Amino acid sequence: AGSGKTYQLSQRFLHLVAAGADPASILTITFTKKAAAEMKERILDSATSLLQDTETAAEFEARCQTFFHKAEQVNGTGSYPPPLSAAATAEKIMAQSNALNIATNDAIFLQWNTKFPAETKAPPATEGGAIPDGGCLQKPALLDPEAEGDREEDDWRQVGRILLATQHGRDLLSRWTSLSEHHDFDALVRRVQGLGQLSQQVWYQEQHGQTSPLTAHPIDPQLPAEGEFCQQHLSPLLQELAARLPPEKAAVVAQLSPLTSVDQLLKSALFTQKGEVSKSFLRAKALRELCRPVICELEATVGRYIDARKLGHLNTEYTIIQEVFRLLEQVKTELMAITGVMTFDGLLRGAYRLFHGDEGAGARYLLTRRTRHLLLDEFQDTSRLQWAVLGELALELLSGRGT
């Protein structure tokens, strides 16, 4: 903010018109309606200055001439028409002030989805989908993590309305709350809300066949069940440890046999809850040094199982959260088909389809007949999916005489 981007883009706009561009052929994209209004105001104010201020007009014409001569040196004499005068540039802009194509990215994407519904593949109405009879949402945009404006926590209560309105949703909620006392509905809402922030990234990566962020943690497929793990890996180590201990300590270790669970070991006097052999159990330094090789291997083996169990627990959570997320995505898609209201994610995905694939070739041709230049405000805030759309438009323009 405050770095002069709006000024630079407005000046670029003026210089493009001076170089021969039709003002209506310059697509200028901003992130907010306020920024779009400010951009248009800055362009028109600058054009007015070219008419009223002779010094500003002279400086503008000097810059245009310098650029023109350098372009001729690179591309040869006669490659470009000479630039317009400052007055002619201003008059050309003022004459088409109502036709200037300056808008927010969502407005542009809505325009494209509306104009080319076949190419953007707006979802058709579906039967027997996730939405129960009578519907369960009145404001589809509230499910969109990218929606403008602040969203109250109560809005996410609609997640619960979806879950409770379908059998699949009720099953998911039941599975979640059965995990532990900490897995309540509010916890599920927070996790789904956080995952919703990745909806663009998830969709984009899936379109490209890349690994989705919705991927389970890898777990060693060779890891046996808990009882078998204890018998195969822990019991032999406990026996080896007992053989090195004095009788009273060995008796404590012997009480752990047969070992059937890791928790049984963690709750004993031998181990701490952190998965380490208790220093209070083996206080004597010499004894601890004698047993160190076994202790290290025992702690590492217990730690390996604890880590795998944590990953398994996370994967269980992930599976439920992912299914809830997919259910919400399905509901959003059906709502867009039923109500005709599209979220920003839906608009962006439609624009992506328009610029990727042979089906949108004709539409792209029509768009580039009108649009010959692209100016993008706040580029650093452009998401990967947004650039997958606008970058393709830029390539279409650069393949001709656009900039």
Side-chain angles (χ1 to χ4, degrees):
S3 61
K5 293 187 294 292
T6 302
Y7 171 78
Q8 293 295 335
L9 284 177
S10 64
Q11 289 300 305
R12 176 69 183 231
F13 189 101
L14 266 63
H15 285 78
L16 283 172
V17 175
D22 183 352
S25 73
I26 305 173
L27 174 58
T28 305
I29 298 179
T30 66
F31 269 80
T32 66
K33 293 179 181 179
K34 180 181 178 182
E38 290 176 352
M39 181 69 71
K40 183 174 182 179
E41 182 180 2
R42 181 69 68 91
I43 290 171
L44 294 179
D45 286 347
S46 298
T48 302
S49 296
L50 293 181
L51 290 173
Q52 297 179 347
D53 191 328
T54 56
E55 183 177 350
T56 299
E59 292 176 354
F60 177 80
E61 291 178 352
R63 288 195 301 272
C64 290
Q65 287 294 332
T66 299
F67 183 83
F68 172 70
H69 291 310
K70 288 183 177 180
E72 283 198 320
Q73 291 174 5
V74 174
N75 299 296
T77 304
S79 299
Y80 303 99
L84 301 178
S85 67
T89 299
E91 289 171 356
K92 192 174 182 180
I93 293 173
M94 301 300 286
Q96 298 192 50
S97 59
N98 291 329
L100 300 185
N101 198 8
I102 304 172
T104 60
N105 47 18
D106 51 335
I108 294 298
F109 296 153
L110 176 60
Q111 181 186 112
W112 293 345
N113 276 269
T114 303
K115 190 172 183 179
F116 305 107
E119 290 80 359
T120 57
K121 297 180 181 178
T126 57
E127 296 182 1
I131 300 179
D133 293 338
C136 58
L137 290 177
Q138 300 299 320
K139 300 178 181 178
L142 292 178
L143 281 176
D144 179 22
E146 299 292 333
E148 291 186 5
D150 294 332
R151 184 171 51 248
E152 297 294 334
E153 183 72 18
D154 286 347
D155 294 339
W156 282 90
R157 294 293 167 180
Q158 294 187 76
V159 175
R161 297 176 65 187
I162 294 174
L163 295 178
L164 295 176
T166 65
Q167 184 59 51
H168 180 44
R170 289 191 291 272
D171 291 342
L172 290 172
L173 187 56
S174 177
R175 285 165 56 192
W176 175 263
T177 54
S178 67
L179 294 178
S180 77
E181 61 181 9
H182 303 294
H183 289 76
D184 56 13
F185 174 73
D186 287 338
L188 178 60
V189 167
R190 288 193 298 270
R191 297 292 292 276
V192 174
Q193 184 177 4
L195 186 58
Q197 301 294 333
L198 297 175
S199 59
Q200 282 191 22
Q201 180 183 352
V202 170
W203 190 85
Y204 175 81
Q205 293 186 195
E206 289 177 347
Q207 300 308 301
H208 287 257
Q210 300 173 358
T211 302
S212 170
L214 305 183
T215 302
H217 296 279
I219 297 179
D220 184 0
Q222 303 301 321
L223 191 70
E226 186 172 12
E228 185 180 352
F229 180 86
C230 290
Q231 290 300 313
Q232 289 183 1
H233 300 281
L234 294 179
S235 291
L237 291 172
L238 290 174
Q239 292 172 8
E240 183 178 351
L241 178 62
R244 301 190 182 199
L245 296 176
E248 67 276 9
K249 298 290 185 182
V252 174
V253 176
Q255 291 177 0
L256 296 173
S257 182
L259 186 67
T260 57
S261 73
V262 175
D263 286 336
Q264 178 186 350
L265 184 62
L266 296 178
K267 292 177 181 179
S268 70
L270 176 60
F271 261 76
T272 68
Q273 287 297 313
K274 293 182 179 180
E276 300 172 348
V277 173
S278 174
K279 292 182 179 180
S280 62
F281 183 78
L282 294 177
R283 294 182 181 275
K285 184 176 181 181
L287 182 60
R288 197 170 184 87
E289 286 298 322
L290 176 66
C291 300
R292 182 172 298 279
V294 183
I295 290 175
C296 290
E297 187 174 355
L298 186 59
E299 289 179 342
T301 304
V302 170
R304 183 160 64 96
Y305 187 85
I306 290 175
D307 290 343
R309 186 166 63 179
K310 288 180 179 178
L311 289 178
H313 184 71
L314 288 174
N315 284 348
T316 301
E317 288 186 344
Y318 145 81
T319 301
I320 298 173
I321 294 170
Q322 179 184 228
E323 289 188 42
V324 172
F325 175 79
R326 297 296 188 192
L327 178 61
L328 299 185
E329 288 288 296
Q330 182 183 354
V331 168
K332 284 199 294 184
T333 299
E334 294 174 13
L335 280 171
M336 288 189 289
I338 293 172
T339 66
V341 177
M342 296 187 71
T343 64
F344 179 72
D345 274 357
L347 296 175
L348 182 51
R349 293 173 189 182
Y352 177 90
R353 297 186 189 99
L354 181 64
F355 280 89
H356 293 78
D358 296 337
E359 294 181 6
R364 294 195 295 271
Y365 171 74
L366 293 176
L367 285 176
T368 53
R369 285 187 64 187
R370 178 187 177 190
T371 301
R372 304 303 301 163
H373 309 275
L374 174 64
L375 297 179
L376 181 58
D377 193 18
E378 302 292 350
F379 178 78
Q380 74 280 2
D381 294 329
T382 302
S383 71
R384 190 174 184 181
L385 182 54
Q386 289 169 345
W387 181 242
V389 175
L390 300 176
E392 287 297 316
L393 174 59
L395 288 176
E396 292 278 352
L397 298 179
L398 291 171
S399 66
R401 293 295 298 271
T403 56

